[in-house]
Amino acid sequence: MKLERYSRSARRLHTAVYLLTLFLLATGWWLLVGREGEPSPVARLLGLPDAALHVWVGWGLAIAALLPLVLARRGVAAFMRETLRRDPGDLGWLLRWPLAIVTGRFARHEGHFDPGQRIANVAIVGLLVALIASGIGLVLVHFGPVFVVLAAVHRLATFAFTVVIAGHILVAAGILPGYRGAWRSMHLGGRVRIDQRLKRRPGDREASSR
Amino acid sequence: MVLAGLKLRGWALGAALSMILAACTSGPSGGGALTVGVSSPKDGAQVSIPFSVTVTSNVAIGPPESGNHHVHLYFDVGKDSGDYQLVYSNTVQVTRQLTPGKHTIIASLRNPDHSDAGPSVTFTVNVTGSGSESGSAAPSPTSSGPNY
Ligand code: HEM
Ligand code: HEM
């Protein structure tokens, strides 16, 4: 039996965001490690400096991130509601999580996201907002003391974001025994085999208003 | 719950907006035009690798973290190329292995985010063959073929 966890538009948005984000991480780190002025292979291919490429794709991400606020307000509201909810069993779920990574025996939880996903959602979205806002700020301010602050924010957010995304990919890629098959929820038509791991148990409630 | 979500979203938008507004009011170009120049080497000078370049400007030159402007040196390419040397202080050593002969260098004043700040100067240097260990270091005087 298969369960569709995410709508087609949610999966499309996710794909757009992560392709753009991975590109920004790559070009951003290229600049950060001091390869500025030395065109990366992509920059060579496209004939544009890495810094310029980074900013163009940055605008792309800013637009991709704003679109759902305009086009999918209900989806955004549902995402916020499901991400910010708290239920009595959450702490227990988190306590069992380290073991469940290996065994796949997660404690049951309420709502669309498990408590770990909720924390990840807040971290990922929060850091993305920080990166986009400071990035746009860098483009608009160009120089001076405000630039210095924005550049520091942009840089620190990059460090934190890199760690968080690495964790997200590790979990999402389904390498960990407890998360096998998870990646299908966002790919290949978005169907997870619920006879495997992401099992719903009797009494689980699905998120309302979907 | 919905309210919490909306509030958070409003906050994020508000933060982004106020950032943009702040950027507009504290915008660049505080009036005077920016300048950039190269005081050494002189245009057309003979140099050997490495040589140092001294840049001048009416704004402070420093690394991006300082919020100051800096300079990019472009060697035989336009200033929209991705291949350049960073100049984060007023003097810099050029160690790039330029072939013997004439080279056109653009010194371009950049914003700390590396975008073009406007002014640039173009100068040429005549690189004399040096540094090569092999005996026949003398540049062939009739090499009119393409540079390699
Ligand atoms: C996932 C999102 C992003 C990541 C991980 C990221 C990462 C980075 C990193 C690591 C740097 C180099 C900083 C340094 O050298 O100190 C950088 C620079 C920059 N970023 Fe981003 N960035 C992101 C999104 C954006 C966005 C959305 C924009 C704006 C539209 C933007 C605009 C800039 C600008 C203007 C610079 C300065 C250019 C430079 O130093 O060469 N970034 N970014
Ligand atoms: C660089 C950015 C990102 C990359 C590389 C990335 C990668 C992935 C991958 C490979 C999956 C497939 C695994 C799965 O379906 O569970 C996935 C799933 C997922 N991602 Fe991302 N992602 C990124 C950004 C985001 C963002 C911004 C969010 C929003 C909060 C997000 C939320 C999710 C969720 C909720 C799942 C589904 C987890 C599940 O249902 O089990 N991701 N991600």
Side-chain angles (χ1 to χ4, degrees):
Chain A
M1 205 190 148
K2 308 257 174 116
L3 165 75
E4 190 173 49
R5 272 187 58 77
Y6 298 100
S7 68
R8 178 186 281 241
S9 59
R11 298 197 305 265
R12 282 209 186 122
L13 173 69
H14 181 262
T15 305
V17 165
Y18 87 64
L19 290 179
L20 293 166
T21 304
L22 288 178
F23 191 90
L24 286 166
L25 273 170
T27 47
W29 271 105
W30 185 270
L31 301 174
L32 198 60
V33 299
R35 304 294 284 271
E36 175 80 55
E38 199 186 314
S40 66
V42 206
R44 237 176 252 285
L45 199 72
L46 300 177
L48 275 173
D50 285 283
L53 265 179
H54 182 85
V55 173
W56 278 113
V57 177
W59 283 116
L61 178 66
I63 291 168
L66 279 177
L67 278 183
L69 294 181
V70 182
L71 299 180
R73 295 166 140 268
R74 278 169 49 101
V76 172
F79 175 84
M80 290 289 198
R81 186 172 59 242
E82 283 300 315
T83 292
L84 298 178
R85 71 181 284 156
R86 283 160 94 214
D87 303 292
D90 287 353
L91 191 64
W93 189 96
L94 286 170
L95 290 177
R96 265 183 72 175
W97 179 68
L99 193 65
I101 291 175
V102 185
T103 62
R105 279 193 214 97
F106 294 96
R108 63 178 298 274
H109 64 87
E110 301 290 334
H112 185 78
F113 299 115
D114 66 46
Q117 284 176 322
R118 282 177 231 154
I119 292 172
N121 286 356
V122 170
I124 294 174
V125 172
L127 288 169
L128 270 181
V129 168
L131 282 166
I132 293 171
S134 59
I136 292 177
L138 288 174
V139 175
L140 297 178
V141 175
H142 282 313
F143 61 86
V146 180
F147 180 93
V148 174
V149 175
L150 291 171
V153 170
H154 204 66
R155 190 177 283 212
L156 289 176
T158 297
F159 294 146
F161 190 67
T162 303
V163 173
V164 169
I165 287 301
H168 176 66
I169 293 177
L170 183 67
V171 164
I175 303 166
L176 303 171
Y179 283 102
R180 223 175 298 147
W183 64 279
R184 283 181 183 275
S185 71
M186 281 290 183
H187 301 91
L188 299 180
R191 248 145 266 145
V192 186
R193 294 170 49 183
I194 60 169
D195 47 305
Q196 272 192 335
R197 243 78 197 215
L198 302 167
K199 204 176 272 180
R200 280 198 294 174
R201 285 165 222 199
D204 278 10
R205 270 177 281 135
E206 183 49 23
S208 52
S209 91
R210 290 224 127 218
Chain B
M1 292 294 217
V2 180
L3 258 182
L6 287 176
K7 236 196 249 162
L8 194 81
R9 188 173 64 186
W11 173 85
L13 277 178
L17 254 178
S18 54
M19 187 105 55
I20 289 167
L21 284 178
C24 289
T25 49
S26 73
S29 72
L34 303 168
T35 66
V36 71
V38 172
S39 61
S40 130
K42 293 274 172 268
D43 192 19
Q46 295 241 340
V47 296
S48 59
I49 311 290
F51 61 97
S52 63
V53 172
T54 305
V55 297
T56 56
S57 174
N58 62 349
V59 288
I61 301 295
E65 306 85 79
S66 67
N68 289 324
H69 290 76
H70 63 268
V71 171
H72 290 179
L73 294 181
Y74 296 90
F75 301 87
D76 305 314
V77 291
K79 62 174 183 168
D80 50 0
S81 165
D83 185 7
Y84 47 87
Q85 177 167 355
L86 294 166
V87 185
Y88 286 166
S89 64
N90 287 86
T91 308
V92 74
Q93 285 281 318
V94 174
T95 55
R96 182 178 292 239
Q97 288 308 310
L98 297 168
T99 53
K102 198 178 142 190
H103 291 275
T104 305
I105 304 176
I106 304 174
S108 163
L109 189 70
R110 313 302 281 197
N111 293 310
D113 65 2
H114 300 282
S115 59
D116 195 344
S120 67
V121 281
T122 305
F123 63 103
T124 59
V125 292
N126 203 344
V127 175
T128 56
S130 78
S132 81
E133 306 286 316
S134 56
S136 58
S140 84
T142 53
S143 82
S144 55
N147 282 344
Y148 38 85

